[in-house]
Amino acid sequence: MYDIIIIGGGPAGLTAALYACRANKKTLVIEKETFGGQITFSPKVENIPGFISLTGNEFAEKLVEQVLEQGADVESCEAIEIRDREIKTVVTDDGEYQGKSVIIATGAKHRMLGIDGEERFVGEGISFCAVCDGAFYKNKTVAVVGGGNSALQEAILLSDTAKKVYVVQNLDFFTGEKKLVEQLEQLENVEIILGVTVDSFVGDNELEGIVIKNSAGETRKLELDGLFVAIGLIPQNEAFKNVVKLDVRGYAEVDESCETKTKGIFVAGDCRTKKIRQVTTAAADGAIAALAACDYVDGLGK
């Protein structure tokens, strides 16, 4: 029997585990893929307080080591259901675990293009966050794939430092705000290419470019130093919709309190409704959710 079960081993989940353990709560962290979450794809991270520079993997290793040192248990399995009773049961593909409270910190996965070879270029030329990785492409040539607000904002941000920015959109128009489109169109180092899709990648160990194709089947090669994919996020909450209210995009509808409609269940990190999704905001959520869960556990039976 655990006091707190945390589903998700990214910065939000691991920070929650750290706070829970330090409050002397018996804690379990369940992670279905890689401990550390999406940040492990970042080859260089410079926006975490206290670290001038380190890789995403190094940061993840430090988090895991810290949590294990504090006494948390960890399990590599996938949570597929939460049964809500006074004692919660987390059902996984490798057994069941019981706890007095649960923190869902499953994060959101970046939507991929679905092209052969894409996975091997993630962190080797393909990025998903201009705030995180844009500085590494100063005076270089990059492309942004996407046409919504996120893609437009990424392109505008990258234009401040990159030599050249291509914006590649599969539709013949942008779906983002008109004001952002107008701002983008005024930038001299930005080239907008509409009505094309990414057909393939160029490069061996590192990305060197992409091949784009229009509706007529005509292709064009863009030589690039980096590619930013901004076609949306997929929150990992579907399995828990029985205990958490989800919005139309699948994000958990909770605010900065991290409390859900179900007593004893909390949500932290990128899988909840929020404006800013960064490692620091995920860690903040983890701390808030853990402290709330500790208060809930302490109040049981009173």
Side-chain angles (χ1 to χ4, degrees):
M1 168 72 69
Y2 288 94
D3 292 312
I4 301 174
I5 298 176
I6 299 164
I7 305 174
L14 292 174
T15 302
L18 175 64
Y19 273 72
C21 288
R22 287 179 59 80
N24 295 317
K25 298 296 185 283
K26 188 176 181 183
T27 304
L28 170 66
V29 183
I30 296 171
E31 169 57 47
K32 68 176 181 178
E33 293 178 349
T34 304
F35 282 91
Q38 295 290 321
I39 197 170
T40 58
F41 292 121
S42 298
K44 192 175 184 181
V45 184
E46 296 181 330
N47 59 353
I48 298 175
F51 299 98
I52 295 174
S53 177
L54 76 171
T55 69
N57 269 325
E58 288 172 338
F59 179 66
E61 288 172 359
K62 289 178 182 295
L63 274 176
V64 173
E65 181 182 1
Q66 188 177 24
V67 166
L68 291 174
E69 179 68 22
Q70 291 291 330
D73 291 339
V74 298
E75 293 289 346
S76 295
C77 54
E78 181 177 2
I80 56 178
E81 182 186 358
I82 298 174
R83 294 175 186 161
D84 178 40
R85 299 288 189 273
E86 183 175 351
I87 298 301
K88 320 297 181 186
T89 299
V90 177
V91 182
T92 78
D93 58 0
D94 191 36
E96 299 181 356
Y97 301 91
Q98 291 188 317
K100 299 174 183 177
S101 66
V102 177
I103 297 173
I104 300 169
T106 45
K109 296 183 69 174
H110 292 281
R111 196 180 300 276
M112 306 285 278
L113 295 169
I115 300 170
D116 288 343
E118 186 171 12
E119 291 284 353
R120 67 188 175 95
F121 288 120
V122 174
E124 299 295 339
I126 293 181
S127 299
F128 302 94
C129 175
V131 173
C132 310
D133 301 331
F136 304 131
Y137 296 97
K138 183 177 182 180
N139 298 323
K140 295 184 178 181
T141 300
V142 299
V144 177
V145 178
N149 283 348
S150 294
L152 299 177
Q153 290 166 342
E154 296 270 284
I156 291 169
L157 180 61
L158 288 165
S159 71
D160 288 338
T161 54
K163 178 177 65 176
K164 174 83 173 183
V165 179
Y166 294 101
V167 183
V168 177
Q169 161 72 326
N170 63 330
L171 302 175
D172 292 323
F173 55 90
F174 288 119
T175 57
E177 296 175 6
K178 183 178 179 181
K179 186 175 181 180
L180 290 173
V181 175
E182 292 173 348
Q183 187 176 348
L184 192 68
E185 291 174 338
Q186 295 173 0
L187 299 172
E188 294 183 357
N189 62 335
V190 172
E191 180 177 340
I192 297 170
I193 309 175
L194 300 175
V196 300
T197 57
V198 178
D199 185 64
S200 59
F201 300 109
V202 179
D204 294 322
N205 297 322
E206 295 182 1
L207 184 74
E208 297 174 4
I210 58 174
V211 176
I212 56 176
K213 181 188 291 186
N214 63 20
S215 58
E218 300 168 331
T219 60
R220 174 185 172 187
K221 177 183 175 182
L222 302 180
E223 294 185 356
L224 304 172
D225 298 296
L227 177 69
F228 288 80
V229 179
I231 57 175
L233 294 167
I234 307 173
Q236 307 294 287
N237 292 325
E238 184 65 22
F240 316 119
K241 61 183 180 182
N242 64 311
V243 292
V244 178
K245 184 180 179 181
L246 306 181
D247 68 9
V248 293
R249 297 182 300 162
Y251 289 98
E253 287 193 339
V254 300
D255 58 19
E256 285 77 6
S257 71
C258 296
E259 298 178 3
T260 73
K261 66 175 185 177
T262 305
K263 290 186 179 299
I265 296 180
F266 308 85
V267 177
D270 290 357
C271 60
R272 77 168 179 87
T273 49
K274 60 193 303 185
K275 183 177 181 180
I276 304 298
R277 292 183 170 86
Q278 293 286 295
V279 62
T280 48
T281 62
D285 278 1
I288 293 167
L291 293 174
C294 289
D295 285 344
Y296 172 81
V297 170
D298 290 342
L300 290 176
K302 288 186 177 179

